[in-house]
Amino acid sequence: MKLCRSELCGGVGLNTVRTDRFKTAHLTVNLFVPLRKETASAYSLLTDVLMRGTEQYPTMRDLNRRQDELYSLGLGAYVQKKGEAQLVTFELTCIDDAYAFDGMRVLEEGMKLLQELIFRPFTENGVFCASYVEQEKKNLADDIRSRIDNKASYARRRCIEIMCEGEPYAVDHGGDVEEVEKLTAESLWEVYRGLLTSARVEIFYIGKKAEEEVAELCKRCLPFSPREAAFPVTAQGSAPRSPRRKTEQMRISQCKLSIGFRAPYTLQEGNFANMALFNEVFGGSPSSRLFTNVREKKSLCYYCSSAPDGLKGILLINSGIEQKNQTAALDAILEQLDDLRAGKLTEEELETARRSLRNGYREITDSSASICSWYLGRIIAGRTDSPEDAANSLDEVTVTDVVKVANDLTLDTVYYLEGASE
């Protein structure tokens, strides 16, 4: 599945993957802005307010009724994080026109509805409806407060905040309560107007239609104005002279251990295949060192896995452990890394990891949403290689390459969330 990429106008890109694997069409509109604490909450709230209604469909009931009329198409808006960029994403999923029994042009009608959502929101007195904004502020603040209930996600987020303190990457793209409470209908409207006119725009389409037809639909239904806008740049941070260590307490039964490493391997540098295969060997699969040795053989954790961020150049290890195993689990994890640094890796083990990761890449093409997410990360890094290309590139990675990655990692942060005493 190859990506076709073109510019609709200055600062507005179109990316299409033509395939007949799906009976649906998947289209997203992604507006790229720098990830900043001052604006992250506003963009997060904005997506919720925009989904409340448009000029033609002023309530959620009206919007839902129109979606039902269009073969129950899916319509959504949300924020996401790619490196140090925050994306305001609008998503449309509908049946392919060939399956509409009444001859309806479902994609075109869906894109007209998307146009309503993006360009003609419901307003009062020239700004967003104040009651909608206040209701969604409360909902978003409640959602932010509830995130602490997922202890694994909380520990991972705290590790990133400590590790990347002072860097945009530490910002939670979902926002924070203090910033949400400052927002008004007027200030949110100004954020919205600036977003439409200045953000980098990337449109993705996955489906059966040709690039030329999709481009024509986009020009008619998504009338973005030309702008001079580049992708936000993700800076590569550096580890401190000695690792940061932080312990926090909470009333929990299962403790959490999160470990952050700096890694000089990114999608931008073009050597990420080495990092990806190292991660598969180390902690990225059920056959990895962390799973088989730390979890299964030594029974030191309930789960233990690692994952790299190819845009930022970091590797995070996340595990759930018993409090009594805090030191032993950390030592066992670092021991597995030391073994790889010492070259204790067989060709057989590497080949097992290679097959596993290759299959993982190929499974991406089983989902149009996964294909879209894959290419979003690639184009930010200036790449257009497909999952199949990435799978093939693994053939060139050797034991020596994986050992070098292990030696190039620098321990940055150890975060421990332990159970509090009564």
Side-chain angles (χ1 to χ4, degrees), residues 152-199:
S153 176
Y154 174 81
R156 179 183 181 278
R157 188 165 60 250
R158 284 293 294 133
C159 183
I160 291 174
E161 288 172 351
I162 295 164
M163 179 177 177
C164 300
E165 183 179 4
E167 301 174 45
Y169 195 82
V171 176
D172 188 332
H173 67 284
D176 67 75
V177 174
E178 182 179 344
E179 294 296 326
V180 169
E181 291 175 345
K182 295 177 185 178
L183 295 167
T184 65
E186 292 77 13
S187 64
L188 191 64
W189 182 257
E190 291 304 313
V191 169
Y192 163 71
R193 297 306 303 170
L195 178 72
L196 280 191
T197 57
S198 62

Side-chain angles (χ1 to χ4, degrees), residues 65-85:
R65 183 181 296 117
R66 181 54 180 160
Q67 289 175 246
D68 290 341
E69 292 170 353
L70 300 176
Y71 293 88
S72 298
L73 64 78
L75 191 66
Y78 52 90
V79 291
Q80 53 182 322
K81 174 180 176 179
K82 295 287 185 181
E84 292 180 345

Side-chain angles (χ1 to χ4, degrees), residues 10-273:
V12 181
L14 173 63
N15 307 270
T16 62
V17 177
R18 191 176 188 183
T19 175
D20 58 3
R21 292 193 66 174
F22 311 112
K23 295 182 178 180
T24 58
H26 184 83
L27 185 137
T28 66
V29 179
N30 306 275
L31 293 92
F32 290 74
V33 293
L35 181 60
R36 297 193 182 109
K37 184 178 186 297
E38 300 78 20
T39 55
S41 300
Y43 292 126
S44 183
L45 178 63
L46 178 62
T47 58
D48 297 331
V49 172
L50 289 174
M51 285 298 296
R52 289 296 298 267
T54 71
E55 288 181 3
Q56 188 172 353
Y57 307 100
T59 68
M60 293 179 71
R61 177 179 294 179
D62 296 326
L63 268 176
N64 290 335
R65 183 181 296 117
R66 181 54 180 160
Q67 289 175 246
D68 290 341
E69 292 170 353
L70 300 176
Y71 293 88
S72 298
L73 64 78
L75 191 66
Y78 52 90
V79 291
Q80 53 182 322
K81 174 180 176 179
K82 295 287 185 181
E84 292 180 345
Q86 184 179 20
L87 279 64
V88 178
T89 298
F90 300 91
E91 185 174 55
L92 167 67
T93 303
C94 61
I95 65 168
D96 186 81
D97 291 352
Y99 301 101
F101 61 84
D102 57 357
M104 178 186 291
R105 294 172 61 87
V106 186
L107 178 61
E108 181 173 355
E109 293 301 316
M111 290 177 68
K112 289 178 182 177
L113 187 58
L114 197 60
Q115 181 188 60
E116 277 279 315
L117 191 70
I118 299 173
F119 296 97
R120 291 193 286 272
F122 180 70
T123 60
E124 287 182 345
N125 302 317
V127 296
F128 286 117
C129 173
S131 63
Y132 283 0
V133 171
E134 291 305 313
Q135 290 165 14
E136 293 306 327
K137 281 173 62 178
K138 181 181 183 303
N139 291 340
L140 179 56
D142 289 344
D143 178 67
I144 293 170
R145 293 188 186 100
S146 71
R147 291 172 190 167
I148 197 173
D149 296 337
N150 185 328
K151 301 303 186 293
S153 176
Y154 174 81
R156 179 183 181 278
R157 188 165 60 250
R158 284 293 294 133
C159 183
I160 291 174
E161 288 172 351
I162 295 164
M163 179 177 177
C164 300
E165 183 179 4
E167 301 174 45
Y169 195 82
V171 176
D172 188 332
H173 67 284
D176 67 75
V177 174
E178 182 179 344
E179 294 296 326
V180 169
E181 291 175 345
K182 295 177 185 178
L183 295 167
T184 65
E186 292 77 13
S187 64
L188 191 64
W189 182 257
E190 291 304 313
V191 169
Y192 163 71
R193 297 306 303 170
L195 178 72
L196 280 191
T197 57
S198 62
R200 174 75 197 185
V201 182
E202 290 292 331
I203 302 170
F204 281 80
Y205 168 81
I206 317 295
K208 295 183 178 181
K209 292 190 182 300
E211 179 186 13
E212 296 77 11
E213 185 176 357
V214 177
E216 180 59 33
L217 284 173
C218 287
K219 290 175 182 177
R220 285 194 281 114
C221 299
L222 300 173
F224 286 101
S225 60
R227 74 279 315 276
E228 293 183 5
F231 293 110
V233 176
T234 298
Q236 310 305 312
S238 57
R241 291 186 177 180
S242 59
R244 291 172 264 232
R245 297 179 184 271
K246 179 74 172 180
T247 298
E248 294 180 341
Q249 293 186 331
M250 194 178 292
R251 295 189 63 181
I252 53 177
S253 57
Q254 185 186 115
C255 303
K256 308 298 178 185
L257 174 64
S258 291
I259 308 168
F261 289 86
R262 298 283 180 171
Y265 293 86
T266 65
L267 288 168
Q268 296 92 317
E269 296 297 326
N271 55 3
F272 193 69

Side-chain angles (χ1 to χ4, degrees), residues 384-397:
T384 58
D385 53 313
S386 68
E388 186 69 22
D389 293 332
N392 293 334
S393 71
L394 298 176
D395 294 337
E396 302 174 6
V397 182

